[in-house]
Amino acid sequence: MKVVDELDLRGKRVFVRVDFNVPLEDDGRGGLRITDDARIRASLPTIRLAAERGAKVVVAAHLGRPKGKPDPKQSLAPTATRLAELLGRPVALAPDCVGPDAETAVARMSPGDVLLLENLRFHAEEEKNDPAFAESLARLADVWVNDAFGAAHRAHASTAGMAPLVAERASGLLMRDEVKHLGRLLAGADRPFVAILGGSKVSDKIGVVEQLLSRVDALLVGGAMAYTFLVAKGVAVGGSRVESDKVDLARETLAAARARGVRVLLPVDHVAARKPEAGSETRICGPGIEDGWLGVDIGPATREAYAKEIATARTVLWNGPMGIFEIPAFAEGTLSVARALAGAKQATTVVGGGDSVAAIGVAGVADRIGHVSTGGGASLEFLEGRTLPGIAALEG
Ligand code: ADP
Ligand code: MG
């Protein structure tokens, strides 16, 4: 896999696919405001490098789910403005990502210019990976640079289809870092290697659990998925969220872990609530949960046990919150894991998953984590050991 900084980019049209799928909210004045620009910041090094090396930088991205036709509410106009502010140089927005408008805009560029193409998903052909659409995109490019790790698990026209149709291909700097840090977890991670998995569903994370069982020393489980594991061990969980059709799978996973000598830690106490709502009555209980209560966070003894494991690890992967952390009264378990990672100075720490990354932000420790992945679904699929189309397209 070539990296963008290995290529001679001078005067070339460098098409940079990025993941700028940022959250937007109404600004109260009829417009839209970006509430979190982390994804834009993450690709700045690649865009800046290409511009500084004299490329004509054609940036392409998708936003939201516009159903294959233009929708002003999902325009990249606010993104173009923010990108220009962050880069400290002008960024023009082409009114379309293909066709005469895009081609004219690209033809007018000078070396060092940055142009953002309008939302790729204004065309249904993007997600269908339509060959003619990929051809139209490729007409704008001498070099295809993929920096969109967050979209790398999708075989779309801009993330994979156009790759063989351009003269040169390279990964962006963000893509390189993601592959390096996440790849390290699948081969050559320093031991002890501790993985903390949580979040809402066993079914979302089981592929990662299976892949990690052959690599980790300990697996710490929290979040809703912990209750399915506790049921598999015969522990009462009251009204907690359980995937009844995954209890057998959880039991098999525990047996597989035992066979491999992997220690699996499950919550020994809980924050239980009457309802999964702010303001609900709560209590600390354990090891089980009585009827009439449901688990909404890991309890203090569990937090301490997990923090101890993290403190002695050399590699830590965290994916999935320990509770319903969106509600402050149920967030302490998740925040304590975030702080434990931040404090683990001897360890390589990696956080993946949209909600876990958000929790890192809430805890205010993002700058003390080794690698915060920008890919939610993509990082999970990568950690399952699957080949991601957007990465495979770089290797071809
Ligand atoms: P990530 O995005 O980090 O991969 P997930 O999407 O798998 O994480 O899970 C996050 C969601 O899991 C959050 O919305 C959180 O409220 C929910 N969750 C965590 N613990 C519980 C619980 N005990 N009961 C219900 N939902 C939970
Ligand atoms: Mg999520």
Side-chain angles (χ1 to χ4, degrees):
M1 190 166 94
K2 270 219 173 78
V3 181
V4 62
D5 61 1
E6 297 168 39
L7 301 182
D8 176 13
L9 304 176
R10 214 164 327 141
K12 291 181 186 166
R13 297 168 306 159
V14 176
F15 184 106
V16 185
R17 177 50 159 115
V18 293
D19 176 13
F20 281 176
N21 197 17
V22 291
L24 294 166
E25 70 179 12
D26 221 303
D27 66 1
R29 286 178 281 118
L32 291 163
R33 175 171 47 217
I34 295 168
T35 56
D36 180 359
D37 62 7
R39 286 184 160 161
I40 301 178
R41 290 175 186 275
S43 274
L44 289 179
T46 297
I47 295 169
R48 208 172 264 143
L49 175 120
E52 280 167 7
R53 300 236 182 135
K56 300 170 183 172
V57 191
V58 179
V59 181
H62 76 273
L63 177 68
R65 304 186 175 278
K67 303 209 174 97
K69 51 179 193 299
D71 169 6
K73 283 202 153 339
Q74 304 189 64
S75 166
L76 289 179
T79 305
T81 307
R82 182 62 61 89
L83 178 59
E85 286 165 11
L86 293 170
L87 278 175
R89 47 169 95 216
V91 174
L93 177 68
D96 199 352
C97 63
V98 289
D101 284 343
E103 286 173 25
T104 308
V106 173
R108 289 199 182 125
M109 292 174 81
S110 303
D113 282 355
V114 178
L115 174 76
L116 179 63
L117 302 176
E118 186 51 284
N119 198 340
L120 289 156
R121 291 197 187 165
F122 284 178
H123 296 264
E125 295 89 341
E126 158 67 358
E127 290 185 77
K128 288 185 186 138
N129 196 4
D130 177 79
F133 183 74
E135 185 71 56
S136 308
L137 291 172
R139 261 204 291 279
L140 308 173
D142 302 308
V143 182
W144 178 70
V145 172
N146 193 359
D147 211 27
F149 179 73
H153 56 321
R154 306 286 183 227
H156 295 167
S158 66
T159 63
M162 67 182 287
L165 308 175
V166 298
E168 293 175 277
R169 286 155 289 283
S171 85
L173 303 176
L174 169 66
M175 178 72 88
R176 174 200 62 190
D177 287 349
E178 292 275 10
V179 170
K180 182 175 89 186
H181 292 287
L182 296 174
R184 194 73 197 285
L185 302 176
L186 296 182
D190 292 332
R191 313 276 291 264
F193 179 2
V194 171
I196 309 135
L197 293 179
S200 51
K201 287 196 196 146
V202 173
S203 36
D204 285 349
K205 308 284 160 86
I206 194 69
V208 175
V209 171
E210 282 166 359
Q211 176 66 228
L212 290 177
L213 277 185
S214 59
R215 317 194 184 281
V216 300
D217 298 285
L219 188 61
L220 321 184
V221 184
M225 68 184 264
Y227 306 111
T228 302
F229 278 92
L230 287 172
V231 168
K233 290 190 78 171
V235 176
V237 299
S240 303
R241 188 198 286 191
V242 169
E243 289 166 273
S244 352
D245 60 335
K246 294 289 178 294
V247 172
D248 287 341
L249 183 60
R251 198 176 292 118
E252 287 160 23
T253 305
L254 291 171
R258 208 173 308 120
R260 288 187 173 279
V262 174
R263 291 180 299 117
V264 178
L265 276 68
L266 297 174
V268 293
D269 64 346
H270 320 271
V271 177
R274 289 290 187 188
K275 289 183 179 156
E277 290 165 8
S280 169
E281 184 191 348
T282 61
R283 58 179 290 202
I284 305 294
C285 61
I289 301 172
E290 276 171 48
D291 285 346
W293 297 87
L294 60 115
V296 293
D297 194 8
I298 56 173
T302 308
R303 289 170 210 161
E304 207 183 303
Y306 288 11
K308 245 185 212 148
E309 291 286 339
I310 293 165
T312 56
R314 298 283 310 284
T315 303
V316 184
L317 165 67
W318 178 30
N319 177 284
M322 298 290 100
I324 308 177
F325 79 104
E326 297 91 335
I327 299 173
F330 310 155
E332 192 47 37
T334 300
L335 297 180
S336 73
V337 165
R339 288 192 290 263
L341 255 75
K345 304 225 161 44
Q346 77 298 337
T348 302
T349 50
V350 179
V351 179
D355 293 290
S356 321
V357 171
I360 288 286
V362 174
V365 298
D367 57 344
R368 288 154 67 198
I369 303 296
H371 181 69
V372 178
S373 179
T374 55
S379 58
L380 281 180
E381 288 195 23
F382 188 98
L383 293 173
E384 285 169 11
R386 293 209 239 169
T387 303
L388 307 191
I391 295 174
L394 285 166
E395 284 156 357

